[in-house]
Amino acid sequence: IKCARVLILLRILRREVRRIAHPRCVEFIKMDGRVVESSTIRGTLVFLGCYMLILLAAGLIISLDGYSFSISFSSALASLSNVGPGLELVGPTGNFSLLSPLSKVTMSLCMVRFSPFWSCSAALCGGILKAYRGVFAMNIKLVLKVLGRVELVVAASMALPLACALLYGEDIAPFLWSIAIILCVSLPLSFLPTHSSFFLREGFATVGLIWLFTGVAGGLPFFFNGGGGFNTIWDCIFEA
């Protein structure tokens, strides 16, 4: 929820309260000295209403696991807001591995509820299907090339936790294995020969694949480390 939406909501409430006392008053909602259009106000109210309904539904589903109110609804709020940890057992010193698969699926859907992931994934699937049927040829090689180079950056970013593990005398094998696997996949992709035609559909497909594969790459260190409550690869990917 952006601050602008909260400000618009508060000003709408203020206007309605004033209208109760002065039914004939005419007051416009303004932001930065400009009148906010009615379509923007309507969109803000719809967004906030959907946000609260999704939060309530997700919290109720997670509560089926039998945990406390603070754990259930902080998990839903953390995933819906993409802020990371929740409260108590899912706080900064814990993780979400204690939750059931149904709760993890619910939280995963909350994380991508208003994100471009859905449109990016749809563009990717639609592009591949149409290319297979010969309707048009999406530049798949360029999409994979960009994906490979981004994953090289992900592999390079693991050098920092690797250095911290060396500094504190911890096991560095999970990071080494993760970096090796990412390099084996991304290096061939980053050197694919292709032309530079890059349009909107390639952009959507690239974002969708980067979103997916970066999550998988981020879960590899958890998987190779073992323990920590991460029982399956899905727990690791979710935590990443």
Side-chain angles (χ1 to χ4, degrees):
I1 299 179
K2 297 181 179 180
C3 293
R5 293 192 179 103
V6 177
L7 286 174
I8 291 175
L9 177 62
L10 293 176
R11 291 176 183 181
I12 292 173
L13 293 175
R14 182 185 64 183
R15 184 184 66 178
E16 296 305 316
V17 169
R18 287 182 178 178
R19 282 183 175 178
I20 294 174
H22 307 283
R24 296 185 179 181
C25 75
V26 177
E27 182 178 348
F28 297 99
I29 305 298
K30 293 185 178 181
M31 290 286 292
D32 297 328
R34 294 182 295 180
V35 176
V36 180
E37 296 181 359
S38 58
S39 59
T40 302
I41 295 175
R42 183 170 58 254
T44 300
L45 293 176
V46 170
F47 177 89
L48 293 174
C50 291
Y51 190 97
M52 298 307 297
L53 288 175
I54 294 173
L55 175 61
L56 177 61
L60 291 175
I61 293 174
I62 297 173
S63 67
L64 296 176
D65 289 350
Y67 293 104
S68 65
F69 174 86
S70 58
I71 292 178
S72 300
F73 278 87
S74 66
S75 298
L77 183 59
S79 56
L80 192 59
S81 304
N82 289 324
V83 297
L87 300 174
E88 295 185 16
L89 297 178
V90 294
T93 59
N95 55 64
F96 297 99
S97 61
L98 55 89
L99 299 178
S100 67
L102 175 61
S103 296
K104 291 172 185 174
V105 170
T106 301
M107 294 175 64
S108 298
L109 293 175
C110 287
M111 291 178 188
V112 295
R113 76 282 175 218
F114 302 121
S115 72
F117 176 78
W118 298 113
S119 56
C120 295
S121 301
L124 175 62
C125 297
I128 293 175
L129 180 61
K130 291 181 179 180
Y132 176 77
R133 293 178 176 178
V135 178
F136 69 88
M138 176 182 283
N139 195 349
I140 298 295
K141 287 186 177 181
L142 182 58
V143 171
L144 294 177
K145 186 174 183 177
V146 175
L147 171 66
R149 293 190 175 182
V150 171
E151 295 309 312
L152 286 177
V153 176
V154 174
S157 67
M158 291 187 181
L160 180 59
L162 175 63
C164 292
L166 283 172
L167 180 64
Y168 289 100
E170 298 178 353
D171 186 15
I172 63 172
F175 296 108
L176 293 178
W177 279 109
S178 302
I179 292 173
I181 291 175
I182 296 173
L183 291 178
C184 288
V185 175
S186 58
L187 278 175
L189 294 179
S190 62
F191 290 102
L192 282 176
T194 181
H195 55 86
S196 58
S197 298
F198 197 86
F199 299 101
L200 185 61
R201 60 175 180 264
E202 282 83 6
F204 274 116
T206 302
V207 172
L209 285 176
I210 289 174
W211 203 317
L212 177 63
F213 280 89
T214 301
V216 174
L220 290 177
F222 295 106
F223 178 73
F224 289 115
N225 184 54
F230 303 109
N231 301 316
T232 65
I233 183 62
W234 307 113
D235 290 332
C236 302
I237 295 174
F238 178 83
E239 189 68 20

